[in-house]
Amino acid sequence: MKRIDLFDGFLPRDFKEGVELLKAQWRRRPLPIQLFLLMCLNLVIAPAVYAAAGTEIDRRSAWALGMLGLVTLGLSIYVFVVIFQPERF
């Protein structure tokens, strides 16, 4: 069966090689990559927290609140999965 690659048409070759490298590294060392992706996601969340709070908090606190929110969300998803699929753990 021929593999269909959806990225061939519109992504540069360097990007595809980077994605393949990321997949290979994910299998060997997933924790640093997960932390990196968490920090990248916080780039979106922290300015929203800072904007919602106004000048009442500084940027460092906004980053901390964003990370705290992401960790809380991750833990709640983990607990949800553990409760409904206990045989996997």
Side-chain angles (χ1 to χ4, degrees), residues 3 6 8-9 27 29 32-34 37 40 42 47 50-51 57-59 62-64 66 71-72 79 82-83 88:
R3 182 178 169 200
L6 299 174
D8 277 341
R27 289 186 207 111
R29 287 179 260 146
I33 295 173
Q34 290 172 353
L37 292 175
C40 289
N42 199 20
Y50 187 66
I57 62 173
D58 58 350
R59 286 191 183 269
W63 277 89
V71 169
T72 304
V79 168
V82 167
I83 289 173
R88 290 183 63 194

mmCIF file with all atom_site columns, all heavy atoms in Angstrom, residues 3 6 8-9 27 29 32-34 37 40 42 47 50-51 57-59 62-64 66 71-72 79 82-83 88:
data_model
loop_
_atom_site.group_PDB
_atom_site.id
_atom_site.type_symbol
_atom_site.label_atom_id
_atom_site.label_alt_id
_atom_site.label_comp_id
_atom_site.label_asym_id
_atom_site.label_entity_id
_atom_site.label_seq_id
_atom_site.pdbx_PDB_ins_code
_atom_site.Cartn_x
_atom_site.Cartn_y
_atom_site.Cartn_z
_atom_site.occupancy
_atom_site.B_iso_or_equiv
_atom_site.pdbx_formal_charge
_atom_site.auth_seq_id
_atom_site.auth_comp_id
_atom_site.auth_asym_id
_atom_site.auth_atom_id
_atom_site.pdbx_PDB_model_num
ATOM 1   N N   . ARG A 1 3  ? 1.983   4.958  0.771  1.00 0.00 ? 3  ARG A N   1
ATOM 2   C CA  . ARG A 1 3  ? 1.758   5.925  1.835  1.00 0.00 ? 3  ARG A CA  1
ATOM 3   C C   . ARG A 1 3  ? 1.489   7.300  1.231  1.00 0.00 ? 3  ARG A C   1
ATOM 4   O O   . ARG A 1 3  ? 2.219   7.773  0.362  1.00 0.00 ? 3  ARG A O   1
ATOM 5   C CB  . ARG A 1 3  ? 2.977   5.985  2.731  1.00 0.00 ? 3  ARG A CB  1
ATOM 6   C CG  . ARG A 1 3  ? 2.822   6.913  3.868  1.00 0.00 ? 3  ARG A CG  1
ATOM 7   C CD  . ARG A 1 3  ? 4.046   6.870  4.735  1.00 0.00 ? 3  ARG A CD  1
ATOM 8   N NE  . ARG A 1 3  ? 3.999   7.960  5.675  1.00 0.00 ? 3  ARG A NE  1
ATOM 9   C CZ  . ARG A 1 3  ? 5.034   8.430  6.304  1.00 0.00 ? 3  ARG A CZ  1
ATOM 10  N NH1 . ARG A 1 3  ? 6.209   7.905  6.108  1.00 0.00 ? 3  ARG A NH1 1
ATOM 11  N NH2 . ARG A 1 3  ? 4.910   9.414  7.142  1.00 0.00 ? 3  ARG A NH2 1
ATOM 12  N N   . LEU A 1 6  ? 0.621   14.012 3.250  1.00 0.00 ? 6  LEU A N   1
ATOM 13  C CA  . LEU A 1 6  ? -0.143  15.237 3.079  1.00 0.00 ? 6  LEU A CA  1
ATOM 14  C C   . LEU A 1 6  ? 0.728   16.486 3.122  1.00 0.00 ? 6  LEU A C   1
ATOM 15  O O   . LEU A 1 6  ? 0.318   17.551 2.677  1.00 0.00 ? 6  LEU A O   1
ATOM 16  C CB  . LEU A 1 6  ? -1.221  15.328 4.165  1.00 0.00 ? 6  LEU A CB  1
ATOM 17  C CG  . LEU A 1 6  ? -2.249  14.201 4.157  1.00 0.00 ? 6  LEU A CG  1
ATOM 18  C CD1 . LEU A 1 6  ? -3.170  14.335 5.358  1.00 0.00 ? 6  LEU A CD1 1
ATOM 19  C CD2 . LEU A 1 6  ? -3.035  14.201 2.875  1.00 0.00 ? 6  LEU A CD2 1
ATOM 20  N N   . ASP A 1 8  ? 3.651   16.985 1.587  1.00 0.00 ? 8  ASP A N   1
ATOM 21  C CA  . ASP A 1 8  ? 4.496   17.205 0.423  1.00 0.00 ? 8  ASP A CA  1
ATOM 22  C C   . ASP A 1 8  ? 4.150   18.470 -0.344 1.00 0.00 ? 8  ASP A C   1
ATOM 23  O O   . ASP A 1 8  ? 5.028   19.143 -0.874 1.00 0.00 ? 8  ASP A O   1
ATOM 24  C CB  . ASP A 1 8  ? 4.417   16.009 -0.538 1.00 0.00 ? 8  ASP A CB  1
ATOM 25  C CG  . ASP A 1 8  ? 5.343   14.888 -0.121 1.00 0.00 ? 8  ASP A CG  1
ATOM 26  O OD1 . ASP A 1 8  ? 6.278   15.153 0.661  1.00 0.00 ? 8  ASP A OD1 1
ATOM 27  O OD2 . ASP A 1 8  ? 5.121   13.748 -0.556 1.00 0.00 ? 8  ASP A OD2 1
ATOM 28  N N   . GLY A 1 9  ? 2.888   18.818 -0.409 1.00 0.00 ? 9  GLY A N   1
ATOM 29  C CA  . GLY A 1 9  ? 2.474   19.925 -1.245 1.00 0.00 ? 9  GLY A CA  1
ATOM 30  C C   . GLY A 1 9  ? 2.798   21.303 -0.714 1.00 0.00 ? 9  GLY A C   1
ATOM 31  O O   . GLY A 1 9  ? 3.094   22.212 -1.483 1.00 0.00 ? 9  GLY A O   1
ATOM 32  N N   . ARG A 1 27 ? 10.346  9.357  21.053 1.00 0.00 ? 27 ARG A N   1
ATOM 33  C CA  . ARG A 1 27 ? 10.379  7.966  21.520 1.00 0.00 ? 27 ARG A CA  1
ATOM 34  C C   . ARG A 1 27 ? 11.508  7.746  22.524 1.00 0.00 ? 27 ARG A C   1
ATOM 35  O O   . ARG A 1 27 ? 11.370  6.967  23.453 1.00 0.00 ? 27 ARG A O   1
ATOM 36  C CB  . ARG A 1 27 ? 10.554  7.020  20.339 1.00 0.00 ? 27 ARG A CB  1
ATOM 37  C CG  . ARG A 1 27 ? 9.328   6.945  19.480 1.00 0.00 ? 27 ARG A CG  1
ATOM 38  C CD  . ARG A 1 27 ? 9.476   5.897  18.392 1.00 0.00 ? 27 ARG A CD  1
ATOM 39  N NE  . ARG A 1 27 ? 8.637   6.276  17.273 1.00 0.00 ? 27 ARG A NE  1
ATOM 40  C CZ  . ARG A 1 27 ? 9.074   6.681  16.105 1.00 0.00 ? 27 ARG A CZ  1
ATOM 41  N NH1 . ARG A 1 27 ? 10.363  6.728  15.863 1.00 0.00 ? 27 ARG A NH1 1
ATOM 42  N NH2 . ARG A 1 27 ? 8.243   7.020  15.157 1.00 0.00 ? 27 ARG A NH2 1
ATOM 43  N N   . ARG A 1 29 ? 13.369  10.299 24.368 1.00 0.00 ? 29 ARG A N   1
ATOM 44  C CA  . ARG A 1 29 ? 13.317  11.180 25.540 1.00 0.00 ? 29 ARG A CA  1
ATOM 45  C C   . ARG A 1 29 ? 12.073  12.069 25.468 1.00 0.00 ? 29 ARG A C   1
ATOM 46  O O   . ARG A 1 29 ? 12.138  13.197 24.993 1.00 0.00 ? 29 ARG A O   1
ATOM 47  C CB  . ARG A 1 29 ? 14.561  12.063 25.574 1.00 0.00 ? 29 ARG A CB  1
ATOM 48  C CG  . ARG A 1 29 ? 15.794  11.297 25.968 1.00 0.00 ? 29 ARG A CG  1
ATOM 49  C CD  . ARG A 1 29 ? 16.990  12.181 25.957 1.00 0.00 ? 29 ARG A CD  1
ATOM 50  N NE  . ARG A 1 29 ? 17.680  11.917 24.690 1.00 0.00 ? 29 ARG A NE  1
ATOM 51  C CZ  . ARG A 1 29 ? 18.335  12.825 24.007 1.00 0.00 ? 29 ARG A CZ  1
ATOM 52  N NH1 . ARG A 1 29 ? 18.425  14.033 24.432 1.00 0.00 ? 29 ARG A NH1 1
ATOM 53  N NH2 . ARG A 1 29 ? 18.931  12.503 22.888 1.00 0.00 ? 29 ARG A NH2 1
ATOM 54  N N   . PRO A 1 32 ? 11.714  16.049 27.992 1.00 0.00 ? 32 PRO A N   1
ATOM 55  C CA  . PRO A 1 32 ? 12.160  17.384 27.575 1.00 0.00 ? 32 PRO A CA  1
ATOM 56  C C   . PRO A 1 32 ? 11.313  17.967 26.441 1.00 0.00 ? 32 PRO A C   1
ATOM 57  O O   . PRO A 1 32 ? 11.060  19.174 26.418 1.00 0.00 ? 32 PRO A O   1
ATOM 58  C CB  . PRO A 1 32 ? 13.604  17.167 27.104 1.00 0.00 ? 32 PRO A CB  1
ATOM 59  C CG  . PRO A 1 32 ? 14.033  15.910 27.741 1.00 0.00 ? 32 PRO A CG  1
ATOM 60  C CD  . PRO A 1 32 ? 12.811  15.081 27.920 1.00 0.00 ? 32 PRO A CD  1
ATOM 61  N N   . ILE A 1 33 ? 10.850  17.124 25.559 1.00 0.00 ? 33 ILE A N   1
ATOM 62  C CA  . ILE A 1 33 ? 10.031  17.612 24.451 1.00 0.00 ? 33 ILE A CA  1
ATOM 63  C C   . ILE A 1 33 ? 8.659   18.037 24.972 1.00 0.00 ? 33 ILE A C   1
ATOM 64  O O   . ILE A 1 33 ? 8.111   19.044 24.529 1.00 0.00 ? 33 ILE A O   1
ATOM 65  C CB  . ILE A 1 33 ? 9.930   16.547 23.346 1.00 0.00 ? 33 ILE A CB  1
ATOM 66  C CG1 . ILE A 1 33 ? 11.316  16.322 22.760 1.00 0.00 ? 33 ILE A CG1 1
ATOM 67  C CG2 . ILE A 1 33 ? 8.949   16.969 22.263 1.00 0.00 ? 33 ILE A CG2 1
ATOM 68  C CD1 . ILE A 1 33 ? 11.428  15.210 21.778 1.00 0.00 ? 33 ILE A CD1 1
ATOM 69  N N   . GLN A 1 34 ? 8.117   17.316 25.929 1.00 0.00 ? 34 GLN A N   1
ATOM 70  C CA  . GLN A 1 34 ? 6.843   17.707 26.523 1.00 0.00 ? 34 GLN A CA  1
ATOM 71  C C   . GLN A 1 34 ? 6.974   19.032 27.257 1.00 0.00 ? 34 GLN A C   1
ATOM 72  O O   . GLN A 1 34 ? 6.085   19.899 27.152 1.00 0.00 ? 34 GLN A O   1
ATOM 73  C CB  . GLN A 1 34 ? 6.354   16.627 27.478 1.00 0.00 ? 34 GLN A CB  1
ATOM 74  C CG  . GLN A 1 34 ? 5.903   15.375 26.786 1.00 0.00 ? 34 GLN A CG  1
ATOM 75  C CD  . GLN A 1 34 ? 5.603   14.252 27.753 1.00 0.00 ? 34 GLN A CD  1
ATOM 76  O OE1 . GLN A 1 34 ? 5.854   14.362 28.945 1.00 0.00 ? 34 GLN A OE1 1
ATOM 77  N NE2 . GLN A 1 34 ? 5.056   13.172 27.239 1.00 0.00 ? 34 GLN A NE2 1
ATOM 78  N N   . LEU A 1 37 ? 7.092   21.803 24.624 1.00 0.00 ? 37 LEU A N   1
ATOM 79  C CA  . LEU A 1 37 ? 5.771   22.079 24.061 1.00 0.00 ? 37 LEU A CA  1
ATOM 80  C C   . LEU A 1 37 ? 4.876   22.794 25.072 1.00 0.00 ? 37 LEU A C   1
ATOM 81  O O   . LEU A 1 37 ? 4.076   23.657 24.708 1.00 0.00 ? 37 LEU A O   1
ATOM 82  C CB  . LEU A 1 37 ? 5.118   20.785 23.584 1.00 0.00 ? 37 LEU A CB  1
ATOM 83  C CG  . LEU A 1 37 ? 5.791   20.133 22.372 1.00 0.00 ? 37 LEU A CG  1
ATOM 84  C CD1 . LEU A 1 37 ? 5.139   18.796 22.063 1.00 0.00 ? 37 LEU A CD1 1
ATOM 85  C CD2 . LEU A 1 37 ? 5.760   21.044 21.168 1.00 0.00 ? 37 LEU A CD2 1
ATOM 86  N N   . CYS A 1 40 ? 5.909   26.365 24.971 1.00 0.00 ? 40 CYS A N   1
ATOM 87  C CA  . CYS A 1 40 ? 5.395   27.003 23.750 1.00 0.00 ? 40 CYS A CA  1
ATOM 88  C C   . CYS A 1 40 ? 3.909   27.309 23.879 1.00 0.00 ? 40 CYS A C   1
ATOM 89  O O   . CYS A 1 40 ? 3.441   28.354 23.418 1.00 0.00 ? 40 CYS A O   1
ATOM 90  C CB  . CYS A 1 40 ? 5.640   26.114 22.540 1.00 0.00 ? 40 CYS A CB  1
ATOM 91  S SG  . CYS A 1 40 ? 7.369   26.018 22.068 1.00 0.00 ? 40 CYS A SG  1
ATOM 92  N N   . ASN A 1 42 ? 2.452   27.941 26.625 1.00 0.00 ? 42 ASN A N   1
ATOM 93  C CA  . ASN A 1 42 ? 2.359   29.042 27.585 1.00 0.00 ? 42 ASN A CA  1
ATOM 94  C C   . ASN A 1 42 ? 2.613   30.390 26.914 1.00 0.00 ? 42 ASN A C   1
ATOM 95  O O   . ASN A 1 42 ? 2.190   31.427 27.435 1.00 0.00 ? 42 ASN A O   1
ATOM 96  C CB  . ASN A 1 42 ? 3.323   28.826 28.743 1.00 0.00 ? 42 ASN A CB  1
ATOM 97  C CG  . ASN A 1 42 ? 2.963   29.642 29.950 1.00 0.00 ? 42 ASN A CG  1
ATOM 98  O OD1 . ASN A 1 42 ? 1.832   30.087 30.088 1.00 0.00 ? 42 ASN A OD1 1
ATOM 99  N ND2 . ASN A 1 42 ? 3.921   29.841 30.825 1.00 0.00 ? 42 ASN A ND2 1
ATOM 100 N N   . PRO A 1 47 ? 0.128   35.766 27.823 1.00 0.00 ? 47 PRO A N   1
ATOM 101 C CA  . PRO A 1 47 ? -0.357  37.116 27.483 1.00 0.00 ? 47 PRO A CA  1
ATOM 102 C C   . PRO A 1 47 ? -1.859  37.283 27.711 1.00 0.00 ? 47 PRO A C   1
ATOM 103 O O   . PRO A 1 47 ? -2.309  38.378 28.071 1.00 0.00 ? 47 PRO A O   1
ATOM 104 C CB  . PRO A 1 47 ? -0.019  37.253 25.992 1.00 0.00 ? 47 PRO A CB  1
ATOM 105 C CG  . PRO A 1 47 ? 1.098   36.326 25.770 1.00 0.00 ? 47 PRO A CG  1
ATOM 106 C CD  . PRO A 1 47 ? 0.857   35.173 26.696 1.00 0.00 ? 47 PRO A CD  1
ATOM 107 N N   . TYR A 1 50 ? -2.198  37.906 31.392 1.00 0.00 ? 50 TYR A N   1
ATOM 108 C CA  . TYR A 1 50 ? -1.699  39.254 31.685 1.00 0.00 ? 50 TYR A CA  1
ATOM 109 C C   . TYR A 1 50 ? -2.704  40.312 31.240 1.00 0.00 ? 50 TYR A C   1
ATOM 110 O O   . TYR A 1 50 ? -2.934  41.301 31.939 1.00 0.00 ? 50 TYR A O   1
ATOM 111 C CB  . TYR A 1 50 ? -0.358  39.463 30.999 1.00 0.00 ? 50 TYR A CB  1
ATOM 112 C CG  . TYR A 1 50 ? 0.342   40.741 31.358 1.00 0.00 ? 50 TYR A CG  1
ATOM 113 C CD1 . TYR A 1 50 ? 0.806   40.962 32.645 1.00 0.00 ? 50 TYR A CD1 1
ATOM 114 C CD2 . TYR A 1 50 ? 0.533   41.739 30.416 1.00 0.00 ? 50 TYR A CD2 1
ATOM 115 C CE1 . TYR A 1 50 ? 1.452   42.132 32.988 1.00 0.00 ? 50 TYR A CE1 1
ATOM 116 C CE2 . TYR A 1 50 ? 1.181   42.916 30.741 1.00 0.00 ? 50 TYR A CE2 1
ATOM 117 C CZ  . TYR A 1 50 ? 1.638   43.109 32.028 1.00 0.00 ? 50 TYR A CZ  1
ATOM 118 O OH  . TYR A 1 50 ? 2.262   44.277 32.364 1.00 0.00 ? 50 TYR A OH  1
ATOM 119 N N   . ALA A 1 51 ? -3.323  40.113 30.093 1.00 0.00 ? 51 ALA A N   1
ATOM 120 C CA  . ALA A 1 51 ? -4.309  41.071 29.592 1.00 0.00 ? 51 ALA A CA  1
ATOM 121 C C   . ALA A 1 51 ? -5.577  41.058 30.432 1.00 0.00 ? 51 ALA A C   1
ATOM 122 O O   . ALA A 1 51 ? -6.196  42.104 30.652 1.00 0.00 ? 51 ALA A O   1
ATOM 123 C CB  . ALA A 1 51 ? -4.644  40.763 28.142 1.00 0.00 ? 51 ALA A CB  1
ATOM 124 N N   . ILE A 1 57 ? -0.999  42.488 38.131 1.00 0.00 ? 57 ILE A N   1
ATOM 125 C CA  . ILE A 1 57 ? 0.084   41.517 38.289 1.00 0.00 ? 57 ILE A CA  1
ATOM 126 C C   . ILE A 1 57 ? 1.166   41.812 37.268 1.00 0.00 ? 57 ILE A C   1
ATOM 127 O O   . ILE A 1 57 ? 0.917   42.438 36.238 1.00 0.00 ? 57 ILE A O   1
ATOM 128 C CB  . ILE A 1 57 ? -0.416  40.054 38.131 1.00 0.00 ? 57 ILE A CB  1
ATOM 129 C CG1 . ILE A 1 57 ? -0.990  39.821 36.735 1.00 0.00 ? 57 ILE A CG1 1
ATOM 130 C CG2 . ILE A 1 57 ? -1.444  39.702 39.176 1.00 0.00 ? 57 ILE A CG2 1
ATOM 131 C CD1 . ILE A 1 57 ? -1.329  38.370 36.460 1.00 0.00 ? 57 ILE A CD1 1
ATOM 132 N N   . ASP A 1 58 ? 2.378   41.348 37.548 1.00 0.00 ? 58 ASP A N   1
ATOM 133 C CA  . ASP A 1 58 ? 3.463   41.563 36.589 1.00 0.00 ? 58 ASP A CA  1
ATOM 134 C C   . ASP A 1 58 ? 3.553   40.374 35.622 1.00 0.00 ? 58 ASP A C   1
ATOM 135 O O   . ASP A 1 58 ? 2.841   39.381 35.763 1.00 0.00 ? 58 ASP A O   1
ATOM 136 C CB  . ASP A 1 58 ? 4.791   41.799 37.313 1.00 0.00 ? 58 ASP A CB  1
ATOM 137 C CG  . ASP A 1 58 ? 5.169   40.650 38.223 1.00 0.00 ? 58 ASP A CG  1
ATOM 138 O OD1 . ASP A 1 58 ? 4.336   39.767 38.446 1.00 0.00 ? 58 ASP A OD1 1
ATOM 139 O OD2 . ASP A 1 58 ? 6.321   40.644 38.708 1.00 0.00 ? 58 ASP A OD2 1
ATOM 140 N N   . ARG A 1 59 ? 4.416   40.499 34.645 1.00 0.00 ? 59 ARG A N   1
ATOM 141 C CA  . ARG A 1 59 ? 4.531   39.466 33.605 1.00 0.00 ? 59 ARG A CA  1
ATOM 142 C C   . ARG A 1 59 ? 4.991   38.127 34.171 1.00 0.00 ? 59 ARG A C   1
ATOM 143 O O   . ARG A 1 59 ? 4.546   37.078 33.728 1.00 0.00 ? 59 ARG A O   1
ATOM 144 C CB  . ARG A 1 59 ? 5.506   39.919 32.521 1.00 0.00 ? 59 ARG A CB  1
ATOM 145 C CG  . ARG A 1 59 ? 4.936   40.972 31.635 1.00 0.00 ? 59 ARG A CG  1
ATOM 146 C CD  . ARG A 1 59 ? 5.845   41.160 30.430 1.00 0.00 ? 59 ARG A CD  1
ATOM 147 N NE  . ARG A 1 59 ? 5.362   42.224 29.593 1.00 0.00 ? 59 ARG A NE  1
ATOM 148 C CZ  . ARG A 1 59 ? 4.529   42.043 28.582 1.00 0.00 ? 59 ARG A CZ  1
ATOM 149 N NH1 . ARG A 1 59 ? 4.083   40.846 28.325 1.00 0.00 ? 59 ARG A NH1 1
ATOM 150 N NH2 . ARG A 1 59 ? 4.138   43.060 27.858 1.00 0.00 ? 59 ARG A NH2 1
ATOM 151 N N   . ALA A 1 62 ? 2.127   36.346 35.566 1.00 0.00 ? 62 ALA A N   1
ATOM 152 C CA  . ALA A 1 62 ? 1.248   35.864 34.502 1.00 0.00 ? 62 ALA A CA  1
ATOM 153 C C   . ALA A 1 62 ? 1.790   34.562 33.919 1.00 0.00 ? 62 ALA A C   1
ATOM 154 O O   . ALA A 1 62 ? 1.022   33.623 33.641 1.00 0.00 ? 62 ALA A O   1
ATOM 155 C CB  . ALA A 1 62 ? 1.100   36.925 33.416 1.00 0.00 ? 62 ALA A CB  1
ATOM 156 N N   . TRP A 1 63 ? 3.102   34.503 33.724 1.00 0.00 ? 63 TRP A N   1
ATOM 157 C CA  . TRP A 1 63 ? 3.708   33.259 33.239 1.00 0.00 ? 63 TRP A CA  1
ATOM 158 C C   . TRP A 1 63 ? 3.504   32.124 34.241 1.00 0.00 ? 63 TRP A C   1
ATOM 159 O O   . TRP A 1 63 ? 3.189   30.999 33.878 1.00 0.00 ? 63 TRP A O   1
ATOM 160 C CB  . TRP A 1 63 ? 5.199   33.449 32.982 1.00 0.00 ? 63 TRP A CB  1
ATOM 161 C CG  . TRP A 1 63 ? 5.468   34.052 31.654 1.00 0.00 ? 63 TRP A CG  1
ATOM 162 C CD1 . TRP A 1 63 ? 5.550   35.380 31.359 1.00 0.00 ? 63 TRP A CD1 1
ATOM 163 C CD2 . TRP A 1 63 ? 5.648   33.353 30.427 1.00 0.00 ? 63 TRP A CD2 1
ATOM 164 N NE1 . TRP A 1 63 ? 5.788   35.550 30.029 1.00 0.00 ? 63 TRP A NE1 1
ATOM 165 C CE2 . TRP A 1 63 ? 5.859   34.324 29.425 1.00 0.00 ? 63 TRP A CE2 1
ATOM 166 C CE3 . TRP A 1 63 ? 5.671   32.011 30.077 1.00 0.00 ? 63 TRP A CE3 1
ATOM 167 C CZ2 . TRP A 1 63 ? 6.075   33.992 28.103 1.00 0.00 ? 63 TRP A CZ2 1
ATOM 168 C CZ3 . TRP A 1 63 ? 5.898   31.681 28.751 1.00 0.00 ? 63 TRP A CZ3 1
ATOM 169 C CH2 . TRP A 1 63 ? 6.087   32.650 27.790 1.00 0.00 ? 63 TRP A CH2 1
ATOM 170 N N   . ALA A 1 64 ? 3.676   32.425 35.518 1.00 0.00 ? 64 ALA A N   1
ATOM 171 C CA  . ALA A 1 64 ? 3.500   31.398 36.550 1.00 0.00 ? 64 ALA A CA  1
ATOM 172 C C   . ALA A 1 64 ? 2.053   30.920 36.603 1.00 0.00 ? 64 ALA A C   1
ATOM 173 O O   . ALA A 1 64 ? 1.789   29.715 36.737 1.00 0.00 ? 64 ALA A O   1
ATOM 174 C CB  . ALA A 1 64 ? 3.927   31.945 37.902 1.00 0.00 ? 64 ALA A CB  1
ATOM 175 N N   . GLY A 1 66 ? -0.078  30.980 34.121 1.00 0.00 ? 66 GLY A N   1
ATOM 176 C CA  . GLY A 1 66 ? -0.304  30.199 32.907 1.00 0.00 ? 66 GLY A CA  1
ATOM 177 C C   . GLY A 1 66 ? 0.225   28.779 33.045 1.00 0.00 ? 66 GLY A C   1
ATOM 178 O O   . GLY A 1 66 ? -0.448  27.808 32.679 1.00 0.00 ? 66 GLY A O   1
ATOM 179 N N   . VAL A 1 71 ? -0.546  22.917 34.077 1.00 0.00 ? 71 VAL A N   1
ATOM 180 C CA  . VAL A 1 71 ? -0.253  21.743 34.903 1.00 0.00 ? 71 VAL A CA  1
ATOM 181 C C   . VAL A 1 71 ? -1.535  21.203 35.527 1.00 0.00 ? 71 VAL A C   1
ATOM 182 O O   . VAL A 1 71 ? -1.764  19.995 35.569 1.00 0.00 ? 71 VAL A O   1
ATOM 183 C CB  . VAL A 1 71 ? 0.799   22.071 35.970 1.00 0.00 ? 71 VAL A CB  1
ATOM 184 C CG1 . VAL A 1 71 ? 0.916   20.974 37.003 1.00 0.00 ? 71 VAL A CG1 1
ATOM 185 C CG2 . VAL A 1 71 ? 2.149   22.319 35.304 1.00 0.00 ? 71 VAL A CG2 1
ATOM 186 N N   . THR A 1 72 ? -2.389  22.095 36.007 1.00 0.00 ? 72 THR A N   1
ATOM 187 C CA  . THR A 1 72 ? -3.666  21.671 36.587 1.00 0.00 ? 72 THR A CA  1
ATOM 188 C C   . THR A 1 72 ? -4.534  20.977 35.554 1.00 0.00 ? 72 THR A C   1
ATOM 189 O O   . THR A 1 72 ? -5.145  19.934 35.835 1.00 0.00 ? 72 THR A O   1
ATOM 190 C CB  . THR A 1 72 ? -4.405  22.884 37.177 1.00 0.00 ? 72 THR A CB  1
ATOM 191 O OG1 . THR A 1 72 ? -3.560  23.532 38.120 1.00 0.00 ? 72 THR A OG1 1
ATOM 192 C CG2 . THR A 1 72 ? -5.699  22.468 37.836 1.00 0.00 ? 72 THR A CG2 1
ATOM 193 N N   . VAL A 1 79 ? -6.023  12.279 35.791 1.00 0.00 ? 79 VAL A N   1
ATOM 194 C CA  . VAL A 1 79 ? -6.898  11.655 36.785 1.00 0.00 ? 79 VAL A CA  1
ATOM 195 C C   . VAL A 1 79 ? -8.168  11.133 36.123 1.00 0.00 ? 79 VAL A C   1
ATOM 196 O O   . VAL A 1 79 ? -8.660  10.047 36.453 1.00 0.00 ? 79 VAL A O   1
ATOM 197 C CB  . VAL A 1 79 ? -7.212  12.648 37.935 1.00 0.00 ? 79 VAL A CB  1
ATOM 198 C CG1 . VAL A 1 79 ? -8.320  12.147 38.822 1.00 0.00 ? 79 VAL A CG1 1
ATOM 199 C CG2 . VAL A 1 79 ? -5.961  12.904 38.737 1.00 0.00 ? 79 VAL A CG2 1
ATOM 200 N N   . VAL A 1 82 ? -7.235  7.884  34.468 1.00 0.00 ? 82 VAL A N   1
ATOM 201 C CA  . VAL A 1 82 ? -6.975  6.845  35.455 1.00 0.00 ? 82 VAL A CA  1
ATOM 202 C C   . VAL A 1 82 ? -8.278  6.331  36.057 1.00 0.00 ? 82 VAL A C   1
ATOM 203 O O   . VAL A 1 82 ? -8.431  5.131  36.302 1.00 0.00 ? 82 VAL A O   1
ATOM 204 C CB  . VAL A 1 82 ? -6.026  7.361  36.567 1.00 0.00 ? 82 VAL A CB  1
ATOM 205 C CG1 . VAL A 1 82 ? -5.999  6.443  37.748 1.00 0.00 ? 82 VAL A CG1 1
ATOM 206 C CG2 . VAL A 1 82 ? -4.629  7.547  36.007 1.00 0.00 ? 82 VAL A CG2 1
ATOM 207 N N   . ILE A 1 83 ? -9.234  7.214  36.291 1.00 0.00 ? 83 ILE A N   1
ATOM 208 C CA  . ILE A 1 83 ? -10.510 6.785  36.866 1.00 0.00 ? 83 ILE A CA  1
ATOM 209 C C   . ILE A 1 83 ? -11.289 5.924  35.892 1.00 0.00 ? 83 ILE A C   1
ATOM 210 O O   . ILE A 1 83 ? -11.859 4.897  36.276 1.00 0.00 ? 83 ILE A O   1
ATOM 211 C CB  . ILE A 1 83 ? -11.331 8.012  37.312 1.00 0.00 ? 83 ILE A CB  1
ATOM 212 C CG1 . ILE A 1 83 ? -10.701 8.653  38.529 1.00 0.00 ? 83 ILE A CG1 1
ATOM 213 C CG2 . ILE A 1 83 ? -12.780 7.621  37.594 1.00 0.00 ? 83 ILE A CG2 1
ATOM 214 C CD1 . ILE A 1 83 ? -11.343 9.968  38.924 1.00 0.00 ? 83 ILE A CD1 1
ATOM 215 N N   . ARG A 1 88 ? -5.290  0.047  32.659 1.00 0.00 ? 88 ARG A N   1
ATOM 216 C CA  . ARG A 1 88 ? -4.056  0.442  31.973 1.00 0.00 ? 88 ARG A CA  1
ATOM 217 C C   . ARG A 1 88 ? -2.953  0.801  32.951 1.00 0.00 ? 88 ARG A C   1
ATOM 218 O O   . ARG A 1 88 ? -1.788  0.815  32.612 1.00 0.00 ? 88 ARG A O   1
ATOM 219 C CB  . ARG A 1 88 ? -4.317  1.638  31.059 1.00 0.00 ? 88 ARG A CB  1
ATOM 220 C CG  . ARG A 1 88 ? -5.169  1.268  29.855 1.00 0.00 ? 88 ARG A CG  1
ATOM 221 C CD  . ARG A 1 88 ? -5.357  2.446  28.946 1.00 0.00 ? 88 ARG A CD  1
ATOM 222 N NE  . ARG A 1 88 ? -4.077  2.870  28.406 1.00 0.00 ? 88 ARG A NE  1
ATOM 223 C CZ  . ARG A 1 88 ? -3.891  4.020  27.800 1.00 0.00 ? 88 ARG A CZ  1
ATOM 224 N NH1 . ARG A 1 88 ? -4.883  4.876  27.695 1.00 0.00 ? 88 ARG A NH1 1
ATOM 225 N NH2 . ARG A 1 88 ? -2.718  4.349  27.315 1.00 0.00 ? 88 ARG A NH2 1
#
